[in-house]
């Protein structure tokens, strides 16, 4: 028997998603649960990055993970092996999660004993950026093979994110990826964005990303 | 002065997109213009594949390209260098094109003198798969760094596509990408899908893909 549940989340009944998102953040503050919304293209390495992140932080925080997907549960099965609490959210074809769906997910996960909740959003650079999930911080992963022009082509994603993880730096020699340009383009969208070049595969650079997430979580839950 | 126009396409007024798509295909048949809808994740190499495809076919067909994007025109500027007719479509934040928007794009492009029209859809594996654009054939590109599990996670994209281009095979040695599995998973979604492993960078495998597109175009325009 698999150790994770699958929850079909429904589109929100709230007509004002921003208000629902603010209300969710207030409740998270009361519950002392930090919520990170992790977004990216398909195949940029969200799940592998998450496994590294969990391995680094699971002795410090009680972690819960929500894996959003159209209808598979490949990622929940992978994350379950890390030993943290995990739930699979199925959106039934929807390309994003809104704050109401995220709240349903958190209720399904059960956050009483969770310090750090992570939402692995649908692999998509457009729709997830348009809906505030109620997360305390937003992060996006851009992998080297995708190219350094992505902040030009998907501006909103970079505008709404607090952190940019540049993954797969181990394959930099095989791609025409300009690190200076991607930093310049990302900062055009959000001058305050924090940028972490990493290889989730080799572990290079992961410490700086984990330190940032640790500081954000501690600041929010008052540890 | 740049040689391409930028057109802001508006969401369709048609309440029945499938009917609008069928009507567009009928008009394309009358006009003897084949339309390919090319979809993929961000960064999978749509534009580079398109450049290779244009180079191989521009002496045989009069080609027109529609570059859809949220609001940049990086790709239109690149495609314009190939010397074919190109128009940039801005969707104003929308994550897909429907048949009405595609028709606006074709009218903006002007298809009287076009045999082969190619729509480079928004980089997204979810929304574009849900809307019939009116294209004669649909193709998707999956690049090796994205991983072989994508047909499990984005089922509809693979169900609606006639062809799957597996790009960036030149970097196969650096990724854990299982070619047999991706073929198996893609055929679970669509047993008839045609699969073309290529490297748009080196040109390897491009001939087979181009041959397929040539046959489809000739069959439709009756050449």
């Amino acid at each position: 028997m698999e150790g994770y549940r699958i929850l079909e989340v429904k589109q929100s009944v709230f007509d004002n998603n921003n208000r629902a998102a603010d209300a969710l953040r207030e409740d998270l503050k009361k519950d002392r649960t930090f919520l990170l919304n992790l977004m990216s293209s398909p195949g940029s390495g969200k799940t592998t990055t998450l496994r590294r992140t969990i391995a680094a932080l699971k002795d410090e925080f009680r972690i819960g993970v929500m894996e959003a997907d159209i209808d598979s549960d490949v990622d929940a099965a992978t994350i379950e092996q890390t030993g943290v609490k995990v739930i699979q959210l199925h959106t039934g074809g929807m390309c994003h999660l809104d704050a109401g769906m995220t709240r349903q997910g958190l209720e399904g996960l059960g956050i009483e004993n969770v310090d750090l909740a992570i939402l692995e959003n649908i692999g998509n650079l457009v729709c997830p950026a348009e809906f505030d999930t109620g997360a305390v911080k937003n992060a996006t992963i851009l992998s080297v093979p995708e190219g350094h022009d992505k902040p030009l082509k998907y501006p909103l994603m970079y505008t709404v994110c607090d952190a940019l993880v540049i993954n797969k730096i181990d394959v930099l020699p095989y791609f025409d990826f300009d690190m200076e340009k991607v930093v310049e383009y990302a900062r055009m969208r959000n001058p305050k964005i924090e940028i972490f070049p990493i290889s989730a595969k080799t572990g290079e650079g992961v410490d700086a990303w984990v330190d940032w997430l640790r500081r954000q979580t501690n600041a929010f839950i008052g540890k």
Side-chain angles (χ1 to χ4, degrees), chain A residues 147-188:
Chain A
H148 55 254
D149 61 349
K150 292 299 156 291
L152 296 181
K153 297 172 79 174
Y154 300 91
L156 190 61
M157 176 56 72
Y158 295 85
T159 305
V160 303
C161 277
D162 305 286
L164 163 61
V165 173
I166 300 176
N167 192 21
K168 306 191 188 178
I169 57 169
D170 54 294
V171 295
L172 271 170
Y174 314 113
F175 290 91
D176 304 319
F177 186 91
D178 190 324
M179 192 64 82
E180 281 181 27
K181 273 194 185 149
V182 78
V183 169
E184 177 195 331
Y185 296 158
R187 295 215 165 119
M188 273 166 53

Side-chain angles (χ1 to χ4, degrees), chain A residues 31 37 51 70 128 148 164 174 179 202:
Chain A
D31 289 335
N37 175 25
R51 287 176 65 181
I70 307 294
H148 55 254
L164 163 61
Y174 314 113
M179 192 64 82
T202 69

Side-chain angles (χ1 to χ4, degrees), chain A residues 4-91:
Chain A
Y4 56 89
R5 279 177 58 205
I6 297 176
L7 185 70
E8 312 287 330
V9 289
K10 308 287 179 199
Q11 191 162 15
S12 177
V13 294
F14 299 100
D15 57 350
N16 189 328
N17 184 62
N18 290 340
R19 202 179 307 156
D22 287 338
L24 180 54
R25 264 186 296 274
E26 281 170 32
D27 289 345
L28 287 166
K29 186 79 188 171
K30 280 180 216 149
D31 289 335
R32 302 171 67 130
T33 300
F34 178 90
L35 173 61
L36 175 76
N37 175 25
L38 189 58
M39 297 176 281
S40 81
S41 296
S44 66
K46 276 197 298 307
T47 310
T48 312
T49 302
L50 201 44
R51 287 176 65 181
R52 285 271 180 196
T53 307
I54 291 168
L57 291 175
K58 74 177 182 177
D59 294 336
E60 293 170 57
F61 300 116
R62 294 167 301 176
I63 299 175
V65 174
M66 295 179 284
E67 287 292 338
D69 215 330
I70 307 294
D71 78 349
S72 87
D73 47 306
V74 178
D75 295 332
T78 305
I79 294 299
E80 201 215 342
Q81 295 162 8
T82 64
V84 302
K85 226 170 172 177
V86 59
I87 189 170
Q88 178 74 52
L89 310 183
H90 281 175
T91 62

Side-chain angles (χ1 to χ4, degrees), chain A residues 190-212:
Chain A
N190 176 4
K192 291 184 176 171
I193 199 165
E194 302 260 5
I195 301 176
F196 304 103
I198 73 162
S199 166
K201 191 173 180 183
T202 69
E204 189 183 349
V206 171
D207 283 354
W209 153 249
V210 164
D211 280 345
W212 177 83

